[in-house]
Amino acid sequence: MTRLSRTLLPVVAAALVAVSAAAQAQDTGRGIQLESKKPFAQFSASAERVRDSIVSKARGSVGTRYRLGGTKPGVGLDCSGLVRYAMSIIDVVLPRTAHGQSKVGAEVPKNVAALKPGDVLTFGRGSRISHVGIYVGDGKMVHASTSQRRVIETSLNQRNPLIRQWKGVRRFVDVNSAQIRDSLLALADSLSR
């Protein structure tokens, strides 16, 4: 079992319990079946807490010295080291380089309106990805800046060469309710057989 599946298994189990409890709740006086209008609200809230944890860990690194190849906040971080450090909160082990990190996770459209805190933004020229950062909400990202020589928070609305090189988005925490519902129903169906 992978680290990610061990981490997500309790969340999926909690969602199954919440969905099952909502479906089985009965008004004992009249035997009426109650249905939850938002059976995945608890799961969505849990995913939001995970996103907040990633953002907190990234923002906690602001001011850390930039160091090429750096992976330790006390010593120094480069862009991919920062992303690996922040994502370690959810037990995701990412590739060491920005280019490697741009190949994992779920691809998300490059649209500020579609971004969620904790998404990893990729930057580069041509097909080469050379920089990554973590979206923290409100049109901002945290990244290890080579020009500032430290981890900083930057607005995506700022006109600078880095933002013009924005290539894409990778997501590691996804709360698409339809996908979750379908996955949970399939899992429940397979368990009942």
Side-chain angles (χ1 to χ4, degrees):
M1 189 180 294
T2 67
R3 282 179 152 186
L4 182 58
S5 62
R6 279 193 309 247
T7 303
L8 291 179
L9 190 56
V11 175
V12 171
L16 274 172
V17 169
V19 169
S20 176
Q24 293 176 0
Q26 290 186 0
D27 179 351
T28 55
R30 291 176 275 174
I32 299 172
Q33 189 89 6
L34 301 176
E35 291 184 28
S36 172
K37 292 184 179 188
K38 296 183 180 181
F40 297 104
Q42 191 173 17
F43 185 78
S44 294
S46 174
E48 189 173 321
R49 284 190 298 275
V50 169
R51 289 177 181 289
D52 290 344
S53 297
I54 293 167
V55 168
S56 292
K57 201 163 187 179
R59 280 191 163 144
S61 300
V62 169
T64 299
R65 182 172 77 104
Y66 176 87
R67 181 174 185 174
L68 183 63
T71 60
K72 296 180 181 153
V75 178
L77 295 167
D78 67 2
C79 65
S80 58
L82 170 67
V83 170
R84 282 180 67 155
Y85 173 70
M87 290 299 174
S88 70
I89 197 134
I90 59 171
D91 262 349
V92 173
V93 178
L94 294 175
R96 174 63 196 101
T97 65
H99 183 76
Q101 291 176 4
S102 73
K103 304 280 185 212
V104 295
E107 188 172 2
V108 176
K110 188 183 116 179
N111 176 354
V112 176
L115 295 177
K116 293 185 178 182
D119 286 347
V120 175
L121 309 180
T122 62
F123 302 86
R125 289 193 175 124
S127 62
R128 185 173 170 263
I129 300 299
S130 57
H131 190 70
V132 288
I134 297 176
Y135 184 71
V136 295
D138 299 324
K140 296 177 182 176
M141 74 166 183
V142 170
H143 66 112
S145 170
T146 55
S147 63
Q148 299 285 320
R149 306 298 301 159
R150 60 189 168 86
V151 175
I152 63 171
E153 190 167 311
T154 302
S155 171
L156 294 174
N157 298 326
Q158 224 176 9
R159 290 271 184 217
N160 69 43
L162 175 64
I163 303 306
R164 285 195 301 268
Q165 294 177 15
W166 184 18
K167 291 291 185 186
V169 182
R170 306 306 285 192
R171 183 167 291 161
F172 296 92
V173 180
D174 192 13
V175 291
N176 179 328
S177 294
Q179 287 178 337
I180 293 167
R181 182 196 66 233
D182 293 346
S183 297
L184 291 174
L185 291 174
L187 177 62
D189 186 47
S190 69
L191 294 175
S192 68
R193 289 183 183 178

